């Protein structure tokens, strides 16, 4: 790039008699003469003033907004005067003022972008890019979005000002998906939800076998691309970093984007907790990042499955939210009664420490107890007493409670504490927490001379699992599952 300041600094210096006007503290003097057009030193001084004024405005700071505005007006006047006095181009002015990265929007269609890729005018694999990492399913979702004419996030490319070639800075995986589809390496997946009758008829088709009108629509789909020009060497890298900072959205926050009946039902349950004043003080953690939504939707899926012996994955929860079928009446009623009982019990109970994992386990316990008749709807007193007793057992887990029916409780409580803070979402941890809560419940009601509250099948199953006297967590969980504990 042509350096105007260096060029003009080689011209003769300003005569001592030339008038001058100060631009501000720390700047050089900008001066003019009555014959500016023919006065070469004037041109040199104008560019020097432009350069140093910019430097000083960043280094020493301007005392107030008015001062900055006056300086900027003088810079503008200097630019105009320089343009009149010498046929300087934009690159020369940029050299004086310093490079400033610009993002120029461009809206080519898919066909135009592909022609640039195939002619190597657009490089999808510059040195700083990662490899092509999207699986086939994710590429097919991108193709599905284009076929539906949905929004595709903008793509950023770095443009070489000399060759006009471009390197993709952000959006590589999106462009690779489009390229692979057009090359026939992937086909349309017509079963991507929400189902679209038109796209279902395209299932399994590749680009070249698409109906003519669909292929034209695909080719004419526009992509928003930002061309990065006039950049300093470090600026594209900084932009790449900022664009690719993880969003850190929780699973619940991501699922909340799915508009559907299940999302609305879960939100109603969360709002019911808030209306009762149940929050961080009662549960030990807040609903920041939609934590309560996450717990309740896991409980809902568990009730629907009727089991805790299968891992709940992120995809399982997404499919629950994506479904257009609402939660059934039985599930809704059981969740409502469960939250009512827990909410009332928390009002007066000394309670164990909750986190997302243990709150899930306690809600599943209450739901199961309500379904089995171990507790009755509205019987918050029993749950309140049990929460207090469980907390006392946990606080002194070195010995069994007086007259305990289950001397294994101290060892079980240690396993519970371990699985309340680590590996909290795997099946073995969920089964262990559930087993310990039910064992403690059986012990508490037996000592309260209420043994008939617990169904006989539960007592028999607990005794069967504990008979082995094995308390190594993974082995205990395996033995419990083999004994049939995971079914609600």
């Amino acid at each position: 790039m042509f350096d105007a300041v260096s060029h003009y600094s080689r011209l003769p210096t300003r005569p001592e008699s030339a008038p001058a006007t100060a631009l501000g503290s720390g700047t050089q003097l900008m001066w003019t003469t009555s014959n500016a057009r023919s006065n070469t030193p004037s041109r040199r001084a104008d560019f020097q003033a432009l350069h140093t004024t910019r430097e000083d405005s960043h280094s020493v700071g301007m005392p107030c907004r008015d001062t900055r505005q006056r300086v900027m007006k003088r810079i503008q006047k200097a630019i105009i005067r320089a343009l009149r006095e010498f046929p300087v181009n934009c690159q020369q002015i940029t050299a004086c003022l310093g490079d400033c990265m610009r993002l120029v929007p461009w809206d080519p269609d898919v066909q135009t972008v592909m022609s640039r890729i195939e002619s190597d005018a657009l490089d999808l694999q510059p040195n700083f890019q990662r490899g092509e990492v999207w699986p086939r399913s994710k590429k097919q979702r991108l193709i599905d979005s284009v076929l539906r004419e949905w929004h595709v996030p903008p793509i950023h490319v770095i443009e070489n000002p000399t060759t006009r070639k471009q390197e993709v800075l952000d959006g590589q995986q999106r462009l690779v998906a489009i390229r692979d589809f057009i090359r026939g390496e992937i086909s349309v997946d017509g079963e991507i939800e929400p189902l679209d009758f038109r796209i279902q008829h395209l299932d399994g088709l590749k680009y070249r076998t698409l109906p003519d009108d669909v292929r034209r629509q695909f080719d004419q789909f526009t992509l928003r691309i930002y061309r990065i020009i006039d950049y300093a060497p470090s600026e594209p890298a900084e932009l790449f970093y900022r664009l690719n900072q993880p969003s850190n959205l929780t699973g619940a926050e991501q699922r909340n984007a799915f508009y559907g009946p299940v999302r609305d039902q879960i939100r109603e349950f969360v709002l019911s907790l808030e209306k009762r004043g149940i929050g961080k003080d009662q549960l030990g953690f807040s609903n920041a990042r939609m934590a309560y939504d996450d717990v309740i939707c896991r409980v809902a899926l568990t009730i629907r499955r009727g089991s805790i012996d299968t891992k709940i994955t992120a995809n399982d929860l997404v499919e629950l939210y994506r479904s257009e079928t609402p939660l059934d009446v039985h599930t809704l009623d059981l969740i409502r009664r469960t939250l009512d009982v827990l909410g009332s019990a928390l009002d007066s109970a000394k309670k164990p420490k909750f986190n997302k994992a243990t709150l899930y386990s306690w809600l599943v316990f209450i739901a199961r107890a309500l379904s089995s008749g171990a507790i009755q709807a509205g019987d918050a007193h029993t749950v309140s007493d049990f929460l207090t007793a469980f907390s006392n057992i946990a606080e002194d887990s070195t010995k069994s409670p007086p007259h305990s029916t289950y001397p294994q409780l101290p060892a079980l409580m240690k396993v519970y504490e371990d699985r309340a803070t680590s590996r909290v979402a795997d099946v073995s941890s969920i089964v262990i927490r559930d087993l310990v809560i039910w064992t403690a419940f059986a012990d508490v009601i037996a000592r309260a001379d209420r043994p008939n509250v617990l169904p006989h099948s539960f007592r028999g199953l607990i005794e069967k699992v504990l008979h082995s006297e094995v308390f190594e967590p993974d082995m205990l969980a395996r033995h419990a599952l083999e004994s049939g504990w995971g079914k609600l």
Side-chain angles (χ1 to χ4, degrees):
M1 185 177 288
F2 178 74
D3 189 341
V5 171
S6 300
H7 172 76
Y8 285 116
S9 65
R10 292 193 293 269
L11 297 175
T13 59
R14 174 178 60 87
E16 293 296 328
S17 60
T21 304
L23 283 177
S25 175
T27 68
Q28 291 188 16
L29 298 180
M30 181 178 290
W31 61 276
T32 60
T33 69
S34 59
N35 191 15
R37 185 175 299 274
S38 60
N39 194 314
T40 302
S42 172
R43 296 196 295 271
R44 183 200 64 163
D46 282 343
F47 277 96
Q48 286 180 332
L50 284 174
H51 183 71
T52 55
T53 298
R54 178 182 179 274
E55 295 295 325
D56 291 339
S57 66
H58 288 286
S59 61
V60 300
M62 293 303 166
C64 65
R65 181 179 296 178
D66 290 342
T67 303
R68 288 196 297 271
Q69 290 176 344
R70 287 198 300 271
V71 170
M72 292 310 298
K73 285 181 180 179
R74 294 195 179 189
I75 291 175
Q76 291 171 354
K77 290 179 181 178
I79 292 174
I80 294 171
R81 184 163 53 248
L83 289 172
R84 287 174 177 171
E85 294 176 1
F86 189 80
V88 63
N89 61 30
C90 293
Q91 284 188 329
Q92 293 168 343
I93 294 178
T94 302
C96 300
L97 298 178
D99 290 333
C100 181
M101 183 172 70
R102 293 191 295 132
L103 278 68
V104 180
W106 177 38
D107 295 309
D109 58 25
V110 165
Q111 196 171 49
T112 300
V113 173
M114 268 305 297
S115 69
R116 291 190 66 82
I117 292 173
E118 297 295 356
S119 65
D120 293 327
L122 175 55
D123 185 3
L124 300 186
Q125 196 63 57
N127 294 334
F128 54 81
Q129 277 287 4
R130 59 180 175 169
E132 299 173 6
V133 297
W134 273 13
R136 175 180 293 270
S137 60
K138 198 164 184 179
K139 292 179 180 179
Q140 289 175 317
R141 285 189 183 278
L142 189 282
I143 300 307
D144 182 80
S145 295
V146 175
L147 290 172
R148 295 173 192 254
E149 297 189 285
W150 286 2
H151 171 73
V152 172
I155 294 163
H156 295 72
V157 298
I158 304 171
E159 187 165 296
N160 186 308
T162 304
T163 65
R164 302 286 289 179
K165 287 189 175 182
Q166 297 165 337
E167 294 181 342
V168 61
L169 178 73
D170 182 70
Q172 174 204 30
Q173 305 300 324
R174 278 160 268 160
L175 293 177
V176 166
I178 292 172
R179 180 202 66 189
D180 289 354
F181 178 64
I182 290 178
R183 287 180 176 177
E185 296 176 16
I186 57 175
S187 59
V188 176
D189 181 357
E191 299 304 313
I192 295 176
E193 294 191 1
L195 296 177
D196 184 301
F197 178 78
R198 185 175 59 91
I199 296 178
Q200 283 183 293
H201 278 72
L202 304 176
D203 185 51
L205 296 183
K206 295 188 176 182
Y207 172 79
R208 294 189 181 280
T209 57
L210 290 175
D212 290 344
D213 59 327
V214 176
R215 190 165 62 251
R216 271 193 302 272
Q217 172 199 324
F218 188 90
D219 289 342
Q220 293 169 3
F221 182 84
T222 57
L223 299 168
R224 169 51 62 97
I225 296 180
Y226 287 101
R227 297 165 45 236
I228 302 169
I229 61 176
D230 296 342
Y231 50 86
S234 62
E235 287 177 320
E238 176 62 21
L239 177 61
F240 179 80
Y241 170 76
R242 296 186 188 188
L243 289 171
N244 288 278
Q245 288 184 91
S247 61
N248 291 325
L249 290 179
T250 64
E253 289 171 326
Q254 293 172 347
R255 291 192 295 274
N256 196 51
F258 290 104
Y259 291 92
V262 175
R263 187 197 74 159
D264 294 340
Q265 290 170 330
I266 299 298
R267 287 303 299 159
E268 283 297 319
F269 286 128
V270 173
L271 290 174
S272 72
L273 293 177
E274 295 176 356
K275 289 175 182 177
R276 296 185 61 131
I278 297 175
K280 185 175 182 179
D281 291 342
Q282 292 75 29
L283 299 177
F285 63 98
S286 72
N287 194 35
R289 315 303 301 272
M290 307 188 78
Y292 301 166
D293 297 68
D294 188 57
V295 173
I296 293 174
C297 79
R298 289 174 183 273
V299 173
L301 184 56
T302 300
I303 293 173
R304 174 182 277 189
R305 286 178 171 178
S307 167
I308 57 172
D309 61 5
T310 304
K311 184 177 177 64
I312 296 176
T313 67
N315 282 338
D316 293 332
L317 298 174
V318 167
E319 292 305 315
L320 178 66
Y321 267 59
R322 182 180 277 144
S323 171
E324 296 180 4
T325 304
L327 297 173
D328 61 87
V329 174
H330 166 72
T331 301
L332 291 174
D333 180 63
L334 187 54
I335 294 174
R336 179 187 56 77
R337 291 187 290 138
T338 298
L339 294 177
D340 285 345
V341 168
L342 180 65
S344 298
L346 290 175
D347 291 341
S348 58
K350 177 183 178 182
K351 52 191 176 295
K353 294 179 180 178
F354 292 120
N355 55 31
K356 285 174 60 176
T358 55
L359 178 61
Y360 162 82
S361 290
W362 279 93
L363 289 173
V364 169
F365 160 74
I366 294 173
R368 193 177 184 183
L370 286 167
S371 296
S372 65
I375 59 175
Q376 301 300 315
D379 188 11
H381 180 71
T382 297
V383 177
S384 177
D385 290 346
F386 176 44
L387 286 172
T388 301
F390 190 91
S391 299
N392 291 333
I393 296 171
E395 287 177 357
D396 190 7
S397 59
T398 58
K399 58 183 180 181
S400 298
H403 313 295
S404 175
T405 306
Y406 298 100
Q408 304 96 327
L409 263 179
L412 288 174
M413 291 303 297
K414 291 179 181 178
V415 177
Y416 175 91
E417 291 296 327
D418 174 67
R419 289 309 174 94
T421 55
S422 65
R423 297 171 60 187
V424 295
D426 61 14
V427 170
S428 64
S429 296
I430 291 171
V431 168
I432 286 172
R433 292 195 302 267
D434 191 64
L435 173 65
V436 174
I437 291 173
W438 275 101
T439 303
F441 182 67
D443 186 71
V444 168
I445 61 175
R447 286 187 285 121
D449 199 24
R450 299 172 59 196
N452 293 332
V453 169
L454 189 69
H456 179 74
S457 59
F458 275 82
R459 285 200 303 272
L461 196 53
I462 290 172
E463 290 170 2
K464 180 180 179 181
V465 174
L466 298 184
H467 180 72
S468 66
E469 296 288 334
V470 173
F471 301 113
E472 192 280 323
D474 289 331
M475 292 183 65
L476 176 63
R478 189 179 306 114
H479 184 49
L481 288 169
E482 290 171 352
S483 302
W485 186 265
K487 303 300 179 183
L488 297 187

